[in-house]
Amino acid sequence: MPRQIRHIMPFGPRVLVRVFKEDELAESGLYLPAGAKEKTQEALFGEVLEVARAEPESKEDGFGVNVAGVPNGAKVLFGKSAGTRVPWDDDLRILETREILATVDVMSEDELS
């Protein structure tokens, strides 16, 4: 049986986000059991994988215009309980754009100076 691949296309002002996993070590270097760090977190960090798009005028127009207002590939911060988990992948969430608290630019210290 061939392997199935699923493509999620959010509707309305929604985006598909992959949640980044936090390291399982505390800042002190001690191992944290599963869920211990998550209980104290108020927000999660992730990357936008797919955005809601308008139906393209023609096949030449590609995927259609981004209607979510958040760029594809953006790093975002959102509430721990925000969004809907995707049933077959716990790292994926579908979020309404209003649930996104902020976009985050990730850069090295060298870029700051």
Side-chain angles (χ1 to χ4, degrees):
M1 181 155 131
R3 184 174 168 231
Q4 292 182 340
I5 298 173
R6 295 176 170 133
H7 178 252
I8 299 174
M9 179 61 69
F11 288 114
R14 293 183 183 87
V15 295
L16 176 67
V17 174
R18 177 167 307 280
V19 178
F20 292 131
K21 292 290 185 191
E22 288 292 321
D23 293 336
E24 294 180 346
L25 291 178
E27 291 177 15
S28 63
L30 297 175
Y31 172 77
L32 293 174
K37 195 168 191 178
E38 188 176 305
K39 289 180 183 177
T40 61
Q41 283 181 315
E42 292 184 31
L44 296 174
F45 183 51
E47 179 179 11
V48 175
L49 300 178
E50 188 60 80
V51 297
R53 299 179 186 277
E55 195 66 33
E57 297 286 323
S58 67
K59 291 188 183 221
E60 292 81 36
D61 290 340
F63 291 113
V65 178
N66 177 347
V67 296
V70 179
N72 205 8
K75 308 295 188 280
V76 294
L77 194 64
F78 55 94
K80 157 172 119 169
S81 61
T84 302
R85 287 186 171 93
V86 174
W88 59 85
D89 190 336
D90 286 340
D91 294 339
L92 296 177
R93 296 227 185 147
I94 298 175
L95 299 173
E96 292 193 32
T97 54
R98 64 183 171 85
E99 295 176 304
I100 296 173
L101 303 173
T103 58
V104 178
D105 291 327
V106 180
M107 59 188 79
S108 69
E109 289 182 12
D110 296 338
E111 293 177 286
L112 294 174
S113 33

